[in-house]
Amino acid sequence: MIEYHADDYGMFRTQSRHIIDCYHNGALNGISIMPNSPYLAECMEEIKDFKKRLAITVHLNLVEGQPLTGDRASRLIDNDGNFNIGFAKLLFVGFVPVLRRLYYRQIRREMEAQILACREYMNDGKFRLDGHVHYHMLPLVFDAMMDVVGEHNLEVSYIRFPREDLNIYRKVSGKIKGVKLINVVKVLVLNALAGRNERKYKEELVRLGVQKKFFMGVMLSGHMFYDNVKECIPVAADIMADKGLQDMEILFHPGDVTELTEVSQITSKDDLDFLNVNSANRFKEAEALVKFGGGLKR
């Protein structure tokens, strides 16, 4: 089974409507929701009639907007109270014992607040977890997340491990467009981090019954267009079969942010570039989801 998944649902009203249009008119069957967004409750109300048909995931967020724990997350925010902590910095901090302890307390507290804030939105009472810009793969963040899961004895059915098989892209080389060197670096880093987290928590993941899924979405991040993805799926399916996997998550970002009032509220420069400056690419990713769904109204 393929899960056609969109991140960032609930970030803003109009942006979220653009995402859910891909459910009504396309193949979208999974969304990740922004726990700290002031618009989340309203956006979840919009989908209450068909929420059960979507795989809903907590999109743990240390990048965009403000923390649910406010100034208790002082090491993670700027003077305006917005998240302002880089991926590389948190990776480094995780390996320095003194700093790790200081940051861990605040990250764990925020992870707890975000996860529990989404409890009512989870289907069947089971949590699915991932992270905005994949921050949840950082050892410091992953450890905090797993500690929260353990302390609250939460049922977790899925955690996104954004580990991509590079053989896919070697085999379709020349047939796809948009592979960037920075994305190659991201895949290598995330593959290494995913490996560390899977090894450290192997027994716990088995105990929880966390589902394993094949994943695509980082190597072509920003270019998950129909023509690209359709070339990758058959190759990915063969690799999946060899690995004994039956399910795949394909990640898209169809939620452009183009309404001026929403653009003005974006706090992360990277998000601004990705969701607004490159909004044409978000339209193309939405178009891909429609094409994969046959463009039929449900």
Side-chain angles (χ1 to χ4, degrees), residues 103-138:
Y103 279 83
Y104 171 82
R105 294 191 192 101
Q106 296 192 3
I107 290 171
R108 188 197 173 289
R109 189 183 298 131
E110 182 63 20
M111 292 298 95
E112 181 178 50
Q114 292 192 14
I115 291 171
L116 298 183
C118 293
R119 186 195 292 271
E120 64 181 296
Y121 304 128
M122 296 294 99
N123 288 326
D124 302 320
K126 295 182 179 179
F127 284 87
R128 289 168 47 103
L129 304 169
D130 64 30
H132 193 46
V133 200
H134 309 295
Y135 267 52
H136 71 302
M137 280 294 105
L138 288 161

Side-chain angles (χ1 to χ4, degrees), residues 169-207:
Y169 307 101
R170 293 192 187 102
K171 291 181 179 181
V172 298
S173 177
K175 297 180 181 180
I176 60 175
K177 299 177 181 178
V179 175
K180 297 181 178 180
L181 179 59
I182 185 61
N183 285 350
V184 176
V185 173
K186 288 177 181 178
V187 167
L188 293 174
V189 171
L190 288 172
N191 283 1
L193 295 178
R196 176 266 183 190
N197 295 330
E198 286 177 316
R199 288 190 299 272
K200 180 172 181 179
Y201 292 95
K202 181 179 180 179
E203 292 183 4
E204 181 68 2
L205 294 171
V206 171
R207 185 190 70 77

Side-chain angles (χ1 to χ4, degrees), residues 265-284:
Q265 295 177 66
I266 297 177
T267 63
S268 164
K269 182 183 181 302
D270 288 342
D271 276 355
L272 181 63
D273 290 343
F274 192 74
L275 299 172
N276 174 252
V277 175
N278 295 307
S279 59
N281 289 5
R282 307 287 74 71
F283 295 141
K284 289 182 180 179

Side-chain angles (χ1 to χ4, degrees), residues 1-4 212-216 233 236-237 240 246-250:
M1 175 184 171
I2 297 178
E3 180 180 329
Y4 294 94
K212 289 186 176 182
K213 288 194 178 189
F214 197 80
F215 175 84
M216 287 196 304
I233 287 178
M240 282 174 60
Q246 297 181 335
D247 298 300
M248 171 172 23
E249 179 186 11
I250 306 180

Side-chain angles (χ1 to χ4, degrees), residues 5-76:
H5 195 96
D7 279 357
D8 308 332
Y9 185 77
M11 182 184 287
F12 300 115
R13 296 186 186 96
T14 302
Q15 168 256 359
S16 295
R17 291 190 192 109
H18 292 170
I19 290 173
I20 218 63
D21 282 346
C22 297
Y23 163 79
H24 291 302
N25 302 310
L28 183 74
N29 56 2
I31 56 173
S32 291
I33 62 176
M34 300 289 282
N36 63 320
S37 170
Y39 305 106
L40 180 59
E42 179 182 338
C43 291
M44 293 305 293
E45 180 68 17
E46 290 285 325
I47 65 172
K48 65 179 182 179
D49 291 339
F50 52 89
K51 182 175 79 74
K52 290 284 187 181
R53 299 179 208 153
L54 292 166
I56 298 178
T57 308
V58 182
H59 202 44
L60 296 167
N61 176 27
L62 296 174
V63 178
E64 178 62 43
Q66 300 187 339
L68 292 179
T69 53
D71 58 11
R72 297 180 74 195
S74 59
R75 295 183 181 276
L76 312 177

